[in-house]
Every structure is written in structure tokens, then in C-alpha cells.
């Protein structure tokens, strides 16, 4: 009996993926566990292993093409077996698509109560038209350019309205989806060129595209300041000892305490806990905290959903677990998008200050530097203190420097008075 090779779901919000490369050809013999293909989503790349021993009978999605998650991209079996999808497979794909659409509608509905629009509501229609981004796969863009198709007049059916190969094929068969007068505004300059990241490996290419998209769509400014961490260190050591005495196996770290402080600061200053996408500014009550995680060949940002509802110990465990999973390439079920704020820590590299780049849609990202010992004058006496350097990058379209400074002030309050973290 033949076995299907499926397009995996790399993240909670992933709806489609791209087959980057096939490492075997039709007719090749493979063993279970052999790498047969490499695929990618908007943020992730992953090698696909053969699910069974046999012969690669059919490649159903060629390299460079997009397809929805849980669709068949190849078939392994014995020579001569049929490779046609049966009715059960087709129904399963239909059910998966319907479930994803229902989840998207539910997520959108749950956020609407905390949504705040930008102040230019009177010009909403014009602003939305001028600022709308066009998401399109590299292959679909090449097809559109080859056939002289205006992509502004194509309705994308992929994730986040992304235009795929199938959308271009539909337009070639049935004509454009939108009237010209409805798209008379100039083409969006925020669409990242398909050439960005050319020649890089799939992960670095995705990073390059995301970073360029972030720089193109935002006005990024970074503020720097140091915060006294003496009390935080004492608090960590005491809490760690008490947890140990109580038999609690919690690997407590400064990063976990900083994460808790950031969550509380975001709840106190909700202007920073927002997403700005497609001309709409949405303020969230819920904190979805991204934790930038370095890999050997790139960077991933797993997201701790509902971080505002987690204790220090739970946050510590979430950070450890998610970081281990992405480093081990075990990203199935790990949230990789939808963050409202991100922390990136370069302290281990002995970097003090840097200028982190915003993740697309988020208004802020906090860079954490290496802790510094400094001699200061305090109450007429000279003493040594430990200070943590922070670099806060924010979108100046949404927030002013005074707003970012206020957020850092609130964050400093929690770090310098760490018992507030457990109230």
C-alpha cells in the first residue's frame, strides 16, 4: 500500500508551504527517515523525511511550488502502485481547510473587542487602499510578470491573502478578479521583491525577506538605557533557593524574570502591546510574547501565547521548552507568529547595546545586553552595582519617543522592585 508524503504544518498559523527542493527523483528507492525534500513557510524551513520504505512513485508538487498544509506532495510505495488520491484523502483535505477557516474567523472575532483604529478614521478607505500590502509567492510573481498580469487586480487565496500559483492560473483562465478603477492607487512599495535573499539557503532567505519587509513598512527608532539589576539578582537567588527547598524543579533565569517584567509593563502600558497591519492598529489585552532564539544558521522567534496569564515558573518553562524545540527543529505545534512584542537577548555574546529590528506587525522589540558592573556614587558613598543595558526599538509611526521612554520607565520599576513581579 502506498504512503503519502504530506506538506506539514510548521506553525499554528501556517496555511500553506513551498516545496523548496526535492533531494530524490521519481523512481528512486528510499528508506524510512531519509531526507527526501525541503519545504518552507513564511518563517520556517524544514527537511521532510520519508515516512516509509519504498520507491518514490510520484512527485505531486514540484520544487518552487506552493501548496496548502496536509496536502500530498509525493507518494512512496511499490513500483506499479496507483498514486491517485482517493475520496477519503480529498475529504480530509476539505475538512482541514474548513477547520482552518473557522479558526481564523474565531481568532479575528476574539480580537475585535480590544481593537483600536488609527485616528484617521475619516480617511480609512483611502488609507487602506494606499497602505495595503500585496503578499505573493516568488513563483506566482514570475508567472504574473511573464504574462503581464497586474497583481493588484488578483485576489489571493493563500495565507494572509497571499497570491499563489493557483491564483495566477485562475486569472489566466478566467480573467482578472478586480476592476482597474478600484486599484488606481500606485503599486505598494512595501512588497518585498522576490530577488531579496536570492542565493541564500531557505531559512536565511526567509529572514532576509522578513527583515526587508519590516524595514520597508516601519519607521524604526531605538532608545537605550541601563537599569539597576542588583535587587533582581538578589530576588532571583532567593526565589531559586526557596523553590529548591520546596522540591520545585524550576530552572529560574534572569531571562524569565525579565520576561515577566516585560509582560507586566505591557499590561500597564498597552500602547506598546499592539499590532499594525493592513492599515489597522489593534491593541491587545492578551500578551503574546516572542522570544528570539538563535540557531546555527539563522534565527527563529517562537511565541509564548497568553504570557500575561503565566507565572514566573511557567514562563521559565515555556522559554526553555520552546527554545529547545526550535533548536531541535521540532516546530510542529509551536506558535511562530501573532506576537504582540518580542524580547531578543545578546547578553551571552557580551554585547551591550544594539538595534534590534521589529518583527513585522509588532510595535516594539526589546534588546537585552550583557550585564555590566559599574562603580557609582550613591548617598555620598561609592559602591558597585550591576546594570542591564536595554535597547528598545519601536515603530515611530505608531509611538513617539516619549511613549517608548515611558514604557522603559515602567519596565525599570519592575526590575528595580522585583517583588512586584509576584503580586
Amino acid at each position: 500500500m502506498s504512503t503519502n508524503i504530506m506538506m506539514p504544518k510548521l506553525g499554528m498559523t501556517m496555511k500553506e508551504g513551498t516545496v523548496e527542493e526535492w533531494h530524490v527523483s521519481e523512481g528512486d528507492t528510499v528508506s524510512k527517515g531519509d531526507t527526501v525534500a525541503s519545504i518552507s513557510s513564511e518563517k520556517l524551513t524544514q527537511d521532510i523525511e520519508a515516512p516509509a520504505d519504498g520507491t518514490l512513485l510520484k512527485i505531486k508538487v514540484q520544487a518552487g511550488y506552493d501548496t496548502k498544509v496536509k496536502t500530498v506532495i509525493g507518494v512512496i510505495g511499490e513500483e506499479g502502485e496507483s498514486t491517485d488520491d482517493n475520496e477519503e484523502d480529498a475529504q480530509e483535505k476539505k475538512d482541514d481547510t474548513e477547520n482552518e477557516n473557522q479558526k481564523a474567523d474565531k481568532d479575528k472575532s476574539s480580537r475585535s473587542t480590544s481593537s483600536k483604529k488609527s485616528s484617521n478614521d475619516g480617511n480609512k478607505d483611502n488609507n487602506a487602499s494606499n497602505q495595503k500590502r500585496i503578499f505573493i509567492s516568488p513563483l506566482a510573481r514570475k508567472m504574473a510578470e511573464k504574462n503581464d498580469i497586474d497583481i493588484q487586480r488578483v485576489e489571493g487565496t493563500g495565507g494572509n491573502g497571499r497570491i499563489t500559483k493557483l491564483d495566477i492560473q485562475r486569472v489566466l483562465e478566467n480573467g482578472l478578479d478586480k476592476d482597474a478603477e478600484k486599484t488606481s492607487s500606485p503599486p505598494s512599495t512595501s512588497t518585498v521583491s522576490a530577488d531579496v535573499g536570492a542565493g541564500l539557503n531557505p531559512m536565511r532567505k526567509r529572514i532576509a525577506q522578513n527583515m526587508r519587509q519590516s524595514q520597508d513598512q516601519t519607521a524604526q527608532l531605538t532608545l537605550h538605557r541601563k537599569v539597576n539589576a542588583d535587587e533582581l539578582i538578589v530576588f532571583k537567588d532567593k526565589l531559586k533557593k526557596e523553590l529548591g527547598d520546596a522540591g520545585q524543579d524550576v530552572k529560574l533565569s534572569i531571562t524569565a524574570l525579565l520576561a515577566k517584567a516585560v509582560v507586566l509593563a505591557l499590561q500597564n502600558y498597552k500602547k506598546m502591546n499592539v499590532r499594525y497591519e493592513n492599515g489597522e492598529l489593534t491593541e491587545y489585552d492578551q500578551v503574546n510574547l516572542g522570544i528570539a532564539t538563535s540557531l546555527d544558521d539563522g534565527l527563529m522567534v517562537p511565541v509564548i501565547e497568553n504570557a500575561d496569564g503565566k507565572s514566573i515558573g511557567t514562563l521559565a518553562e515555556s522559554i526553555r521548552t520552546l527554545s529547545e524545540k526550535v533548536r531541535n527543529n521540532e516546530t510542529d505545534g509551536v506558535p511562530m507568529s501573532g506576537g504582540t512584542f518580542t524580547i531578543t537577548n545578546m547578553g551571552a555574546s557580551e554585547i551591550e547595546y544594539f538595534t534590534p529590528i521589529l518583527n513585522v506587525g509588532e510595535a516594539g522589540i526589546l534588546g537585552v545586553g550583557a550585564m555590566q558592573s559599574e562603580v557609582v556614587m550613591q548617598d555620598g558613598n561609592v559602591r558597585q552595582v550591576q546594570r542591564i543595558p536595554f535597547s528598545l526599538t519601536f515603530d515611530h509611526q505608531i509611538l513617539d519617543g516619549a511613549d517608548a521612554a515611558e514604557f522603559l520607565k515602567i519596565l525599570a520599576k519592575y526590575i528595580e522592585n522585583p517583588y512586584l513581579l509576584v503580586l
Side-chain angles (χ1 to χ4, degrees):
M1 181 176 177
S2 62
T3 303
N4 292 331
I5 305 171
M6 312 294 287
M7 172 62 72
K9 190 177 180 70
L10 301 186
M12 297 284 287
T13 60
M14 177 180 169
K15 293 184 178 180
E16 64 178 24
T18 302
V19 178
E20 297 287 351
E21 180 182 4
W22 280 98
H23 301 292
V24 292
S25 303
E26 290 183 0
D28 287 353
T29 300
V30 298
S31 299
K32 183 177 181 180
D34 288 350
T35 298
V36 293
S38 298
I39 62 97
S40 65
S41 66
E42 289 189 0
K43 293 188 175 182
L44 301 173
T45 61
Q46 181 169 300
D47 289 335
I48 303 300
E49 297 179 350
D53 297 336
T55 300
L56 182 61
L57 302 176
K58 183 74 173 178
I59 291 177
K60 294 207 167 189
V61 180
Q62 296 294 330
Y65 282 68
D66 300 328
T67 189
K68 295 186 181 299
V69 298
K70 297 188 179 180
T71 54
V72 180
I73 62 174
V75 182
I76 293 174
E78 297 181 3
E79 290 188 29
E81 280 191 84
S82 173
T83 59
D84 295 332
D85 289 341
N86 56 35
E87 293 181 3
E88 184 179 345
D89 290 334
Q91 183 62 43
E92 183 180 345
K93 294 174 196 173
K94 180 180 178 182
D95 291 342
D96 288 336
T97 301
E98 289 176 351
N99 289 337
E100 287 174 359
N101 290 338
Q102 289 171 2
K103 182 180 183 299
D105 291 341
K106 182 179 179 181
D107 290 345
K108 183 176 181 181
S109 173
S110 66
R111 295 199 308 262
S112 63
T113 56
S114 61
S115 174
K116 289 187 179 179
K117 305 292 174 47
S118 59
S119 60
N120 298 322
D121 287 341
N123 297 321
K124 178 181 176 182
D125 291 340
N126 288 335
N127 289 342
S129 174
N130 290 334
Q131 297 174 357
K132 184 176 181 181
R133 308 199 304 268
I134 298 177
F135 295 95
I136 182 170
S137 71
L139 180 62
R141 181 180 295 280
K142 289 179 182 178
M143 293 174 64
E145 291 174 351
K146 180 179 179 180
N147 293 279
D148 197 24
I149 294 173
D150 182 359
I151 59 174
Q152 293 187 90
R153 298 170 66 187
V154 178
E155 195 73 42
T157 60
N160 205 20
R162 190 182 190 206
I163 299 172
T164 68
K165 162 183 169 278
L166 298 178
D167 296 318
I168 300 299
Q169 289 178 335
R170 184 189 67 248
V171 167
L172 289 173
E173 294 174 1
N174 304 322
L176 292 164
D177 300 317
K178 305 174 186 177
D179 296 333
E181 58 268 21
K182 293 182 181 179
T183 57
S184 56
S185 59
S188 170
T189 58
S190 62
T191 302
V192 176
S193 168
D195 294 333
V196 173
L200 303 177
N201 66 48
M203 177 177 285
R204 287 248 56 100
K205 183 175 182 180
R206 294 292 181 185
I207 293 172
Q209 292 173 340
N210 289 338
M211 295 300 95
R212 283 288 295 275
Q213 184 181 352
S214 175
Q215 294 281 25
D216 288 347
Q217 295 174 4
T218 57
Q220 301 193 24
L221 179 65
T222 304
L223 299 186
H224 306 283
R225 72 163 288 177
K226 290 183 180 179
V227 176
N228 190 323
D230 282 352
E231 293 298 324
L232 188 71
I233 295 170
V234 171
F235 176 75
K236 179 186 79 74
D237 292 341
K238 185 175 182 180
L239 186 57
K240 188 174 182 179
K241 181 179 183 303
E242 290 179 354
L243 288 170
D245 292 343
Q248 299 292 318
D249 185 22
V250 177
K251 292 179 172 56
L252 195 62
S253 65
I254 289 291
T255 300
L257 296 176
L258 291 178
K260 184 65 176 180
V262 166
V263 168
L264 292 173
L266 289 170
Q267 289 183 297
N268 280 193
Y269 204 73
K270 293 185 177 180
K271 291 170 70 173
M272 186 68 72
N273 193 47
V274 299
R275 289 187 67 86
Y276 183 47
E277 298 174 291
N278 301 318
E280 181 174 324
L281 180 63
T282 306
E283 184 179 288
Y284 291 80
D285 292 323
Q286 169 184 320
V287 177
N288 294 332
L289 187 64
I291 303 293
T293 304
S294 62
L295 309 176
D296 290 338
D297 56 352
L299 182 77
M300 289 187 184
V301 186
V303 175
I304 302 174
E305 296 180 322
N306 300 302
D308 51 296
K310 299 184 186 298
S311 66
I312 294 173
T314 306
L315 280 174
E317 181 62 20
S318 296
I319 292 170
R320 184 188 66 80
T321 301
L322 293 179
S323 297
E324 285 182 359
K325 283 186 175 181
V326 296
R327 287 182 178 129
N328 293 330
N329 205 23
E330 299 171 356
T331 56
D332 191 22
V334 175
M336 301 299 298
S337 61
T340 57
F341 191 88
T342 294
I343 297 175
T344 177
N345 192 332
M346 294 195 69
S349 300
E350 300 184 1
I351 299 299
E352 291 186 53
Y353 294 110
F354 55 108
T355 53
I357 297 177
L358 293 171
N359 285 308
V360 176
E362 297 177 19
I365 180 171
L366 182 71
V368 181
M371 197 172 297
Q372 304 294 309
S373 295
E374 296 182 357
V375 176
V376 300
M377 180 71 71
Q378 191 173 53
D379 299 327
N381 297 312
V382 176
R383 58 169 298 205
Q384 181 173 290
V385 299
Q386 297 289 316
R387 287 183 171 175
I388 302 177
F390 290 127
S391 302
L392 175 66
T393 296
F394 64 98
D395 189 348
H396 212 333
Q397 297 176 117
I398 304 167
L399 301 163
D400 292 326
D403 295 316
E406 180 65 19
F407 174 78
L408 283 173
K409 180 180 178 181
I410 295 170
L411 177 63
K413 177 189 71 173
Y414 284 107
I415 293 171
E416 293 172 347
N417 302 277
Y419 285 92
L420 294 176
L421 301 178
V422 296
L423 293 180

